[in-house]
């Protein structure tokens, strides 16, 4: 289980997160939606400690940490239980697809190169890129690069995978291949928190949908509750402006 309690984060005078709390059960897929600037990405980055939250508490499985007083050792331990998939791929340009996956296995998981290679091969097959092991990022489409990024996250065997707008940098015809990969992960029971602007995707894949605005959680519920029977006027207004994508 992942539990975030009363998390606050500001940049200068601008308070981005204003105390949202969220629990995610094992095997659950939580989609976070909302307008730009609502704090969605910052929330993910704080869970992964890419940003240091000012206040709040994070619990992953049996480990808990206070954001304000977390030590470097505690931060490293929590990071090992999460993996991030970025909207801009963040692959090492001078490494092949399989080397990008092997990197974390060798330096974080302390696997031998041979073990890391075998794991990398299996994961590339899993995301449909078995034949691209020796390709460099510049030789891959955006969708293929994102699938390598997903394989890299899976390699760490995290408690939760955090996906930040995983299709926003893709050409429209490449979105489907990435969404299908994420759907397969959901079917396999991978715990995920997904920030997305793809409303149809959120509706199909999520166990629960969270609508954020202004650094707080306005409303959350099942996809049916949020998209069909929402109770908050602001949720209704937001969804009226969104065209579902297939």
């Amino acid at each position: 289980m992942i539990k975030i309690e009363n998390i606050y984060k500001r940049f200068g005078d601008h308070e981005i997160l204003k105390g949202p709390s969220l629990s995610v059960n094992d095997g659950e897929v939580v989609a976070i939606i909302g307008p730009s600037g609502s704090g969605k990405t910052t929330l993910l980055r704080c869970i992964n400690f890419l940003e240091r939250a000012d206040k709040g508490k994070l619990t992953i499985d049996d480990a808990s940490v206070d954001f304000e007083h977390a030590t470097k050792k505690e931060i490293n331990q929590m990071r090992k239980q999460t993996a991030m998939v970025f909207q801009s791929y963040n692959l090492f340009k001078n490494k092949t697809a399989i080397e990008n996956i092997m990197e974390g296995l060798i330096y974080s998981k302390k696997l031998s190169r041979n073990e890391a290679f075998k794991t990398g091969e299996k994961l590339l097959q899993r995301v449909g890129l078995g034949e691209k092991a020796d390709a460099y990022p510049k030789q891959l489409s955006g969708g293929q690069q994102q699938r390598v990024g997903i394989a890299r996250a899976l390699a760490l065997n995290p408690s939760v995978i955090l996906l930040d707008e995983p299709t926003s940098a893709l050409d429209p015809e490449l979105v489907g291949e990435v969404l299908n990969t994420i759907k397969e992960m959901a079917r396999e029971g991978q715990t995920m928190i997904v920030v997305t602007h793809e409303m149809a995707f959120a509706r199909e894949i999520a166990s629960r949908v969270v609508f954020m605005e202004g650094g707080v959680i306005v409303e959350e519920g099942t996809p049916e509750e949020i998209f069909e029977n929402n109770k908050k006027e602001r949720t209704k207004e937001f969804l009226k402006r969104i065209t579902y994508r297939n």
Side-chain angles (χ1 to χ4, degrees):
M1 171 187 260
I2 297 87
K3 190 175 184 181
I4 307 115
E5 300 174 78
N6 301 314
I7 181 171
Y8 288 83
K9 175 64 181 176
R10 67 167 57 243
F11 294 103
D13 294 331
H14 189 26
E15 192 170 43
I16 305 297
L17 296 175
K18 303 174 183 178
S21 296
L22 179 67
S23 293
V24 182
N25 295 317
D26 292 342
E28 191 175 19
V29 179
V30 172
I32 303 179
I33 63 172
S36 297
S38 58
K40 306 182 302 293
T41 292
T42 300
L43 180 62
L44 286 195
R45 291 176 65 86
C46 286
I47 295 171
N48 192 241
F49 280 93
L50 290 170
E51 300 289 352
R52 178 74 173 260
D54 301 318
K55 294 180 183 178
K57 182 179 178 182
L58 173 65
T59 300
I60 302 179
D61 297 332
D62 296 327
S64 294
V65 65
D66 180 278
F67 283 110
E68 189 174 4
H69 302 109
T71 65
K72 187 174 181 180
K73 181 179 179 180
E74 288 173 327
I75 290 171
N76 288 336
Q77 285 299 115
M78 297 304 270
R79 275 181 174 157
K80 288 179 180 178
Q81 298 184 72
T82 68
M84 191 95 168
V85 176
F86 301 89
Q87 54 184 298
S88 55
Y89 323 137
N90 280 27
L91 300 181
F92 294 109
K93 294 185 177 8
N94 63 335
K95 294 184 183 294
T96 63
I98 198 163
E99 287 171 341
N100 266 279
I101 297 170
M102 291 169 62
E103 191 83 3
L105 292 170
I106 292 170
Y107 294 102
S108 180
K109 294 292 187 179
K110 307 301 181 185
L111 267 61
S112 68
R113 289 194 67 82
N114 186 50
E115 290 173 315
F117 184 83
K118 288 180 180 178
T119 299
E121 281 188 317
K122 291 177 183 176
L123 286 168
L124 283 174
Q125 291 285 353
R126 183 174 171 184
V127 298
L129 293 173
E131 77 287 357
K132 297 293 186 180
D134 296 325
Y136 288 90
K138 67 181 180 181
Q139 298 171 312
L140 300 172
S141 70
Q144 290 170 334
Q145 289 185 62
Q146 191 61 290
R147 283 188 281 158
V148 172
I150 290 170
R152 180 177 60 183
L154 287 166
L156 300 176
N157 193 28
S159 295
V160 59
I161 293 181
L162 312 168
L163 300 102
D164 181 22
E165 298 279 16
T167 61
S168 67
L170 299 178
D171 292 333
E173 67 267 24
L174 300 177
V175 169
E177 64 189 66
V178 173
L179 296 186
N180 286 336
T181 299
I182 298 170
K183 288 176 189 176
E184 184 60 31
M185 292 160 58
R187 284 192 288 268
E188 293 170 356
Q190 174 65 56
T191 308
M192 291 183 278
I193 304 175
V194 187
V195 167
T196 184
H197 62 278
E198 300 279 351
M199 296 297 112
F201 170 63
R203 186 172 187 167
E204 179 181 353
I205 195 175
S207 321
R208 191 152 36 98
V209 177
V210 172
F211 173 58
M212 285 188 69
E213 185 179 51
V216 300
I217 293 174
V218 176
E219 189 169 2
E220 64 176 290
T222 65
E224 183 179 359
E225 288 170 338
I226 295 301
F227 291 111
E228 302 295 339
N229 302 304
N230 48 67
K231 296 179 174 59
K232 301 291 186 179
E233 193 58 38
R234 184 62 190 99
T235 309
K236 297 181 193 297
E237 291 173 3
F238 173 76
L239 292 174
K240 278 180 184 176
R241 296 179 183 149
I242 299 295
T243 300
Y244 287 177
R245 298 182 185 180
N246 296 320

